[in-house]
């Protein structure tokens, strides 16, 4: 998709203020060269601040980014019938590295197949930090992070059963997919080429409300505590996916590198799956706690060279470089390294590390709605819970700074209803 370079006033018969407030460009399909819609930029007539960006496609109006509601008469001049806009509270960063500020922000009512969650709890994830610092180059500001949401359904769009209003649901990294491509129809919607991420180009869960496609807002089963469930919908499914999506045998010997926000849940899942579980850590002081999470053995990570050929699966949750040769050598024949930590540097592995014993390396971006449903059921059945520390939502900046320092055991959850004291 591309935009034409010609900028024209949106209302040639309108006032000078309208000429300044609303500008548009045609949107073209790169393959066909044909115009497919209209992109509108709404500017403050005095400060020239970009108030919001709208895309008009097939008569539908979408808000791509916004900082505050534009004047009603400006939106009216688009000539497009739009969904109503409500005001919500968000915690947003105005630029990379900036602290989050409380603000009011407009939100469209839910579209086809969408629902709105009133946020009750939202976990804080390392991916939120990466987005706030724009480490991956996909952040847009102002940015509202938060993608480990538990909330109550308060509004539904067309195509969603009104009977779900009042349900408690969880929302993770993914908030939507196309539902009609081969990946979606084949049950791997997390690989959809049109995937919508909850905090990429959208407003996330550090807010009073958040919108998602109904398939990706997962009902909480009876017996699951909503106050601690949030981290399951990103961190939890991240470490559950290597087991369920890769059909790991319950007789496998599984190693987990890193006993942190991801690792402490991976140990619980692998143990409940029936596997022999080894925790690999740089901090042997965590050994007893790792065993309580489910590890049968705890080994020092720098002792990996002495564990040759031992593991059928190594789940690596850390996001920094390791001795990759030693990691690969620790795998049994046909063993697999499953990489979850977002290491920004290339993973250096020799060809013979793979060839001689048919070892392999895989990774996964969360998982499908079906796997999410199975995960929450599995958690209730085996009493799997993330270990969390609660803070009120208005102390989100404290949580961010502590997470940067590694000062949390093991996940933060921000509670929307709680208010900081003092």
């Amino acid at each position: 998709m591309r935009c034409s370079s010609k900028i024209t006033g949106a209302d040639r018969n309108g006032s000078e203020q309208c000429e300044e407030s609303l500008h548009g460009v045609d949107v073209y399909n790169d393959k066909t060269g044909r115009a497919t819609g209209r992109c509108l930029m709404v500017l403050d007539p005095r400060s020239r601040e970009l108030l919001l960006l709208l895309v008009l496609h097939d008569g539908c109006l979408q808000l791509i980014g916004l900082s505050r509601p534009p004047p009603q008469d400006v939106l009216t001049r688009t000539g497009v019938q739009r969904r109503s806009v409500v005001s919500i509270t968000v915690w947003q960063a105005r630029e990379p590295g900036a602290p989050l500020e409380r603000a009011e922000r407009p939100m469209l009512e839910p579209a086809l197949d969408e629902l709105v969650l009133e946020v009750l709890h939202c976990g804080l994830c390392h991916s939120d930090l990466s987005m706030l610092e724009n480490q991956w180059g996909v952040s847009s500001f102002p940015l509202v992070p938060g993608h480990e949401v538990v909330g109550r359904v308060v509004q539904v769009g067309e195509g969603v059963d009104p009977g779900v209003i009042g349900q408690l649901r969880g929302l993770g990294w993914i908030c939507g997919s196309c539902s009609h491509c081969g990946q979606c129809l084949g049950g791997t919607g997390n690989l959809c080429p049109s995937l919508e991420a909850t905090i990429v180009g959208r407003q996330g869960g550090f807010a009073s409300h958040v919108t998602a496609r109904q398939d990706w807002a997962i009902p909480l089963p009876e017996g699951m505590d909503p106050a601690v469930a949030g981290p399951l919908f990103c961190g939890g499914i991240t470490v559950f996916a290597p087991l369920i999506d890769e059909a790991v045998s319950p007789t496998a010997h599984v190693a987990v590198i890193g006993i942190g926000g991801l690792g402490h849940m991976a140990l619980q899942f692998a143990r409940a799956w029936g596997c022999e579980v080894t925790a690999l850590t740089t901090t042997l002081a965590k050994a007893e706690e790792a065993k309580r999470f489910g590890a049968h053995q705890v080994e020092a990570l720098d002792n990996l060279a002495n564990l040759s050929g031992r593991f059928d699966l190594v789940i690596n949750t850390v996001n920094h470089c390791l001795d990759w040769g030693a990691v690969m050598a620790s795998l049994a024949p046909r063993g697999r390294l499953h990489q979850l930590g977002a290491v920004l540097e290339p993973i250096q592995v020799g060809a013979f590390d793979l060839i001689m014993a048919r070892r392999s390396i895989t990774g996964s971006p969360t998982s499908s709605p079906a796997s999410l449903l199975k995960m929450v059921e599995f958690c209730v059945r085996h009493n799997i819970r993330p270990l969390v520390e609660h803070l009120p939502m208005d102390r989100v900046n404290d949580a961010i700074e502590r997470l940067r320092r590694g000062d949390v055991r093991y996940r933060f959850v921000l509670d929307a209803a709680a208010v900081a004291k003092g």
Side-chain angles (χ1 to χ4, degrees), residues 60-81:
C60 179
L61 177 64
Q62 293 183 329
L63 277 72
I64 304 302
L66 49 94
S67 57
R68 59 186 175 85
Q72 179 63 44
D73 64 326
V74 172
L75 278 181
T76 302
R77 290 189 179 98
T78 64
V80 176
Q81 184 177 4

Side-chain angles (χ1 to χ4, degrees), residues 88 107 115-122 149-155 165-171 203 205 207-212 393 416-417:
I88 64 171
M107 183 182 74
L115 51 76
V116 175
L117 296 176
E118 178 187 13
V119 177
L120 304 177
H121 312 278
C122 187
V149 179
V150 170
R152 180 175 286 106
V153 180
V154 293
Q155 191 178 7
I165 292 177
Q167 279 188 1
L168 293 177
R169 295 202 173 200
L171 175 67
Q203 165 247 310
S208 60
H209 299 79
V210 67
T211 302
M393 187 70 76

Side-chain angles (χ1 to χ4, degrees), residues 35 37 45 72 87 93 95 108 115 120 124 211 226 233 256 260 275 286 288 301 318 352 374:
Q72 179 63 44
S87 181
E95 58 187 12
L108 285 174
L115 51 76
L120 304 177
L124 176 65
T211 302
F233 293 96
V256 177
C275 302
K286 292 182 178 180
E288 290 306 313
L301 187 58
V318 302
F352 284 103
K374 292 175 182 176

Side-chain angles (χ1 to χ4, degrees), residues 88-389:
I88 64 171
T89 301
V90 300
W91 290 87
Q92 64 182 21
R94 295 194 173 274
E95 58 187 12
L100 271 58
E101 303 172 351
R102 182 170 176 158
E104 299 300 312
R105 190 165 176 168
M107 183 182 74
L108 285 174
E109 67 178 1
L112 176 69
D113 205 32
E114 288 184 342
L115 51 76
V116 175
L117 296 176
E118 178 187 13
V119 177
L120 304 177
H121 312 278
C122 187
L124 176 65
C125 176
H126 265 284
S127 296
D128 291 311
L129 302 190
S130 296
M131 289 292 293
L132 285 168
E133 296 166 6
N134 198 20
Q135 292 178 353
W136 303 332
V138 296
S139 304
S140 57
F141 293 85
L143 174 69
V144 181
H147 59 276
E148 296 182 339
V149 179
V150 170
R152 180 175 286 106
V153 180
V154 293
Q155 191 178 7
V156 298
E158 184 180 352
V160 183
D161 180 4
V164 306
I165 292 177
Q167 279 188 1
L168 293 177
R169 295 202 173 200
L171 175 67
W173 176 260
I174 301 171
C175 64
S177 56
C178 75
S179 301
H180 57 74
C181 71
Q183 297 296 338
C184 289
L185 294 176
T188 51
N190 56 309
L191 305 180
C192 173
S194 301
L195 203 66
E196 297 177 67
T198 302
I199 61 173
V200 179
R202 300 174 62 96
Q203 165 247 310
F206 291 145
S208 60
H209 299 79
V210 67
T211 302
R213 293 283 291 271
Q214 62 172 330
D215 290 351
W216 291 96
I218 307 301
L220 267 62
E222 185 177 353
M224 176 165 282
D225 183 356
V228 302
L232 292 171
F233 293 96
C234 180
I237 191 60
T238 295
V239 295
F240 186 63
L243 300 173
I244 189 168
D245 294 347
E246 305 295 336
V248 169
S249 169
T251 64
H253 190 168
V254 175
V256 177
I257 300 179
I259 308 171
L262 291 176
H264 87 285
M265 289 187 280
L267 294 174
Q268 295 180 68
F269 279 120
R271 179 64 177 259
W273 200 256
C275 302
E276 182 179 353
V277 184
T278 297
L280 299 171
T281 179
T282 58
T283 310
L284 286 177
K286 292 182 178 180
E288 290 306 313
E289 194 164 30
K291 290 179 179 179
R292 288 195 295 272
F293 287 133
H296 294 91
Q297 304 94 25
V298 181
E299 298 280 358
L301 187 58
D302 58 11
N303 190 44
L304 201 57
N306 296 321
L307 303 176
S308 179
R310 185 167 177 178
F311 305 117
D312 300 299
L313 172 66
V314 172
I315 299 174
N316 182 23
T317 70
V318 302
N319 61 359
H320 54 78
C321 284
L322 301 174
D323 181 348
W324 299 113
V327 173
M328 297 305 294
S330 74
L331 292 172
R334 301 180 70 177
R336 180 166 54 90
L337 165 63
H338 196 92
Q339 182 65 32
L340 297 176
V343 181
L344 299 181
E345 298 82 8
I347 296 176
Q348 302 288 345
V349 173
F352 284 103
D353 292 333
L354 304 174
I355 293 171
M356 298 308 295
R358 290 189 62 186
R359 298 176 175 120
S360 60
I361 303 175
T362 54
S364 55
T366 72
S367 194
S368 66
S371 291
L372 281 158
L373 285 166
K374 292 175 182 176
M375 178 198 68
V376 293
E377 294 169 356
F378 191 80
C379 288
V380 171
R381 186 181 310 142
H382 295 282
N383 195 30
I384 294 172
R385 299 159 55 97
L387 186 62
V388 306
E389 178 179 344

Side-chain angles (χ1 to χ4, degrees), residues 394-405:
D394 55 7
R395 288 187 58 191
V396 62
N397 287 311
D398 294 340
I400 289 171
E401 289 307 312
R402 285 182 55 192
L403 182 58
R404 285 192 176 116
R405 300 194 304 266

